[in-house]
Amino acid sequence: MLNFLKYVLATIVGLLVFFFVSILLLVAIAAASASSDEVTVAENSVLELKLDKPITERDPENPFAELGFAFGSLSSSDGLDQIKAAIRRAKTDDNVKGIFLNMIFLDAGLAKVEEIRNELIDFKESGKFVVSYTDISTEKAYYLASVADKIYLNPMGTIEFNGMSSEMFFFKRLLDKLNIEAQIFKVGTYKSAVEPFFLEEASDANREQLNSFLNSINNYQLQNIAEARSVEVAELKNVQDNLLVRDPADAKQYKLITDIGYFDEAIGYMKESIGMEQDDKLELVQLSKYKKVKDNIEVSTSKNRIAVIYAEGDIVDGEGDEGNIGSRRFTDALRKARMDENVKAVVLRISSPGGSALASDVIWREIQLTKKEKPVIASMSDYAASGGYYLAMGCDTIVAHPNTITGSIGVFGVIPNIQGFLNEKLGITVDYVSTGKFSEQPTITRPMTEQEKEIVQNQIDQIYETFTSKAAEGRGMSQDQLKEYASGRVWSGVEAEQRNLVDVYGGLEDAIAIAAKKANIEDDYRLKAMPERKSFFNNLFSDFGAQTKEQSIKAELGELYPYYKLYKKVGDMQGAQARMPYDLSIQ
């Protein structure tokens, strides 16, 4: 009887899964069909940019995106590539008279914001307007909006304009309560990625580097705001430091905005600018719709290609997935670009805080092989730090934004000892039978001996020597000089350029132009985005399986699930890590 019930239950589950997949398939087909339809834009339209989704490097391969469907890596997001393409298209589209920034929060890294902002500045050269409206504006959103011709703030609204900060979480007390010891191995005074596991607050060295690059980025952005709003930098700094903008009247007094007004008043201004009557309806074209408008720029038919290889996320060993940089997947992409006779140059677009030192070196080697045959240019996005810098340092030219976060040339390793947790919290003991003195290594169920710790530290030291040696060679300086800028220290793009860690300022398009020039194909090429992406349904089913497994673990562990997540966080840092300090979040 029990077996019969099990079979019945399995059949029901199978039918439910089949039904769910069938529905998804039908919706996907409908969405794909709709997205293939060419969209036309009415006269006197305005492109509305809400930018209310996370902004990634590439637009997601998700037919449900317009419906707001998000599942695992199939998140509802906007690609920086499509945002910039839409702004460029709008610049020459006679039916689009301006751009309306209607946003509050902006979920994007600083370099991505910089690239969108630069596109808006270029858009204004067409003579078309850029108007911004907000109820509440974060500092990052205001930085983007500061280029607008007219900036409207709701009469009850607020603008955050109080400078930058970085919030850090430390887990030492939690680990102490759980009887878990984080055994730390690192090289570099500033290599502070491991500090949350053995300190309760930031070290002096970490605080020093944070102050340095945050002030560097903040000063750069203040200069740009000052230029856009025709205000002195010193005055803006005073406003920021003393929190002088506390209500809309303050924002207008200090020239951060042009108007205190409601949404309909911003709409009214745009109607007037276009020459419409106030009773007429203003056609606001959403970004999701405008992406489907046929490009009015002539498409090149050249056989020449510049491969743009997008490296976004943590650097991991093996295949990886859409959300990270798997060494196997990216070496395959580089190898294909190198062996393709039509690919004349490669641009490596890096947005990564680093990760596995081994995976970073594997990819670095493939970059060197490619570099011998064709130009390889690095384009740094939000982050290109530690392992991310490892990828960039061997390229012919490194292009970065002044507010890119880079450097962090250092290595660390974490091996947790959970013996106390097993013994005291779970009542589990572990015994060993081994054939040799080091047969148990690596293990997390007992503390390491001094000799074992010495061996691991020596390995970390050797990797650091390799890292700095290759970085010095790539940057054309001595290893001793390179080490002055290493030691795990994080730099802003401005600071990095001053220390010869990057070559020039610019975005992806600048890197592509440099690659084209080096390959002698300035006006005769097409772009090829790499690596190839998994199909929608491959992603869907892999995410479905992973989330089902995670939910099962959560149900099984109950109150112990948060401890499991912490253990996973430390456990996932397998092997030596070339990674930025913690998960850096700049407010």
Side-chain angles (χ1 to χ4, degrees):
M1 185 65 180
L2 183 60
N3 284 336
F4 172 75
L5 291 174
K6 286 168 63 177
Y7 289 133
V8 171
L9 181 60
T11 302
I12 293 172
V13 171
L15 289 171
L16 288 173
V17 171
F18 175 76
F19 178 74
F20 174 70
V21 171
S22 299
I23 294 296
L24 285 180
L25 182 60
L26 290 172
V27 175
I29 292 171
S33 175
S35 66
S36 64
D37 295 337
E38 186 177 324
V39 171
T40 57
V41 177
E43 292 183 358
N44 294 330
S45 294
V46 173
L47 174 60
E48 182 179 21
L49 297 180
K50 290 185 177 180
L51 304 180
D52 52 356
K53 301 175 185 176
I55 297 175
T56 53
E57 288 292 336
R58 287 200 275 179
D59 221 37
E61 297 273 337
N62 180 6
F64 300 106
E66 250 189 284
L67 305 176
F69 177 83
F71 195 93
S73 66
L74 300 173
S75 58
S76 181
S77 61
D78 286 320
L80 177 65
D81 55 347
Q82 289 298 318
I83 295 171
K84 294 194 298 182
I87 296 172
R88 286 191 211 111
R89 189 183 303 123
K91 180 180 178 181
T92 57
D93 188 337
D94 292 337
N95 291 326
V96 176
K97 302 303 181 182
I99 289 177
F100 181 38
L101 297 174
N102 180 16
M103 58 187 184
I104 295 176
F105 302 103
L106 192 55
D107 188 359
L110 297 175
K112 290 187 181 75
V113 175
E114 188 74 11
E115 294 209 15
I116 297 171
R117 191 176 188 273
N118 288 338
E119 289 292 345
L120 291 173
I121 292 172
D122 182 69
F123 173 86
K124 289 172 62 176
E125 293 182 2
S126 66
K128 300 179 180 182
F129 61 75
V130 176
V131 173
S132 171
Y133 169 82
T134 189
D135 300 318
I136 303 170
S137 179
T138 62
E139 196 136 5
K140 194 183 295 183
Y142 176 73
Y143 179 61
L144 181 61
S146 64
V147 300
D149 302 290
K150 296 280 279 185
I151 303 176
Y152 284 83
L153 177 62
N154 185 286
M156 296 291 288
T158 58
I159 286 181
E160 179 189 6
F161 195 73
N162 56 356
M164 293 183 173
S165 66
S166 178
E167 190 175 63
M168 298 160 280
F169 288 87
F170 292 83
F171 309 111
K172 182 181 182 303
R173 290 189 183 182
L174 175 59
L175 292 175
D176 288 345
K177 287 181 179 180
L178 297 175
N179 265 351
I180 295 177
E181 175 194 9
Q183 299 169 115
I184 307 297
F185 307 91
K186 71 185 183 83
V187 180
T189 305
Y190 297 94
K191 199 63 184 175
S192 48
V194 290
E195 286 188 0
F197 303 116
F198 72 96
L199 294 179
E200 295 183 11
E201 59 182 19
S203 66
D204 290 341
N206 188 19
R207 196 172 296 278
E208 176 191 344
Q209 72 172 344
L210 283 167
N211 277 328
S212 179
F213 77 75
L214 284 177
N215 275 292
S216 174
I217 293 171
N218 188 55
N219 290 338
Y220 168 75
Q221 294 193 170
L222 283 179
Q223 290 170 7
N224 286 342
I225 294 171
E227 181 179 353
R229 307 313 317 156
S230 299
V231 182
E232 294 294 325
V233 174
E235 183 177 351
L236 284 178
K237 190 74 169 71
N238 179 56
V239 170
Q240 191 181 69
D241 288 346
N242 294 290
L243 195 61
L244 297 182
V245 173
R246 304 174 190 180
D247 56 41
D250 295 333
K252 186 172 183 181
Q253 177 186 343
Y254 293 108
K255 301 181 181 179
L256 296 187
I257 64 173
T258 58
D259 294 87
I260 300 171
Y262 291 97
F263 178 86
D264 61 281
E265 293 178 285
I267 296 294
Y269 169 79
M270 289 187 284
K271 288 181 181 179
E272 183 181 341
S273 299
I274 295 172
M276 297 174 64
E277 297 294 330
Q278 289 300 315
D279 292 337
D280 294 339
K281 180 184 177 182
L282 180 64
E283 188 68 33
L284 294 176
V285 184
Q286 300 291 322
L287 175 64
S288 58
K289 179 181 178 182
Y290 199 66
K291 288 177 185 178
K292 304 173 192 173
V293 175
K294 186 177 180 181
D295 209 322
N296 48 18
I297 300 173
E298 186 177 345
V299 178
S300 171
T301 58
S302 173
K303 290 184 178 180
N304 298 327
R305 300 283 195 277
I306 293 178
V308 180
I309 300 179
Y310 289 90
E312 185 172 17
D314 289 348
I315 301 172
V316 300
D317 299 307
E319 189 68 21
D321 56 38
E322 296 290 323
N324 54 37
I325 306 168
S327 59
R328 186 176 302 168
R329 193 159 64 100
F330 278 82
T331 52
D332 284 348
L334 283 160
R335 198 173 296 119
K336 287 177 182 178
R338 183 173 79 248
M339 297 176 68
D340 188 338
E341 293 182 357
N342 291 327
V343 172
K344 306 301 182 183
V346 174
V347 173
L348 191 62
R349 175 68 166 181
I350 304 168
S351 184
S352 172
S356 165
L358 172 61
S360 300
D361 194 65
V362 168
I363 299 172
W364 173 88
R365 172 62 179 172
E366 203 62 43
I367 292 170
Q368 299 312 294
L369 295 176
T370 306
K371 180 180 169 183
K372 290 178 181 178
E373 299 188 23
K374 52 195 70 175
V376 181
I377 311 301
S379 171
M380 293 181 169
S381 184
D382 303 321
Y383 305 98
S386 206
Y389 189 79
Y390 207 118
L391 306 187
M393 68 191 187
C395 296
D396 295 293
T397 304
I398 300 178
V399 183
H401 283 290
N403 53 7
T404 293
I405 297 173
T406 187
S408 192
I409 301 172
V411 188
F412 74 88
V414 181
I415 300 178
N417 165 29
I418 66 169
Q419 185 183 66
F421 175 70
L422 293 175
N423 293 352
E424 303 300 327
K425 304 298 181 181
L426 301 181
I428 297 173
T429 59
V430 181
D431 200 358
Y432 311 89
V433 177
S434 307
T435 61
K437 187 176 181 181
F438 301 104
S439 299
E440 299 157 18
Q441 285 298 308
T443 180
I444 63 172
T445 57
R446 65 164 175 80
M448 299 175 70
T449 67
E450 290 304 315
Q451 190 174 5
E452 288 168 340
K453 290 180 179 179
E454 182 180 350
I455 291 171
V456 174
Q457 186 61 55
N458 286 338
Q459 292 172 335
I460 297 293
D461 292 341
Q462 289 172 7
I463 294 170
Y464 180 69
E465 287 300 310
T466 300
F467 193 166
T468 53
S469 173
K470 291 178 176 178
E473 181 182 355
R475 300 309 302 159
M477 63 177 80
S478 70
Q479 190 173 3
D480 287 340
Q481 184 181 1
L482 188 282
K483 283 184 176 179
E484 292 180 15
Y485 311 136
S487 198
R489 180 155 182 169
V490 177
W491 304 102
S492 70
V494 170
E495 294 172 315
E497 192 274 337
Q498 293 169 348
R499 291 159 178 81
N500 192 34
L501 296 179
V502 304
D503 294 299
V504 295
Y505 297 142
L508 178 58
E509 283 67 33
D510 298 294
I512 291 170
I514 292 171
K517 185 175 182 180
K518 284 184 176 289
N520 296 315
I521 54 169
E522 284 100 323
D523 301 315
D524 184 28
Y525 65 88
R526 285 190 283 170
L527 300 181
K528 181 178 182 178
M530 300 177 76
E532 294 179 1
R533 308 172 92 176
K534 293 181 182 178
S535 70
F536 165 74
F537 281 104
N538 278 342
N539 275 325
L540 176 64
F541 289 125
S542 62
D543 283 334
F544 185 77
Q547 291 204 10
T548 301
K549 178 181 177 182
E550 192 74 7
Q551 289 298 322
S552 298
I553 293 172
K554 188 173 183 178
E556 185 73 21
L557 293 179
E559 293 181 357
L560 293 176
Y561 180 73
Y563 305 140
Y564 164 79
K565 292 293 289 183
L566 179 61
Y567 159 71
K568 284 286 292 179
K569 182 180 179 67
V570 180
D572 285 345
M573 295 180 183
Q574 296 179 13
Q577 298 287 306
R579 185 185 295 269
M580 264 187 60
Y582 35 83
D583 297 323
L584 185 64
S585 175
I586 297 177
Q587 305 294 330

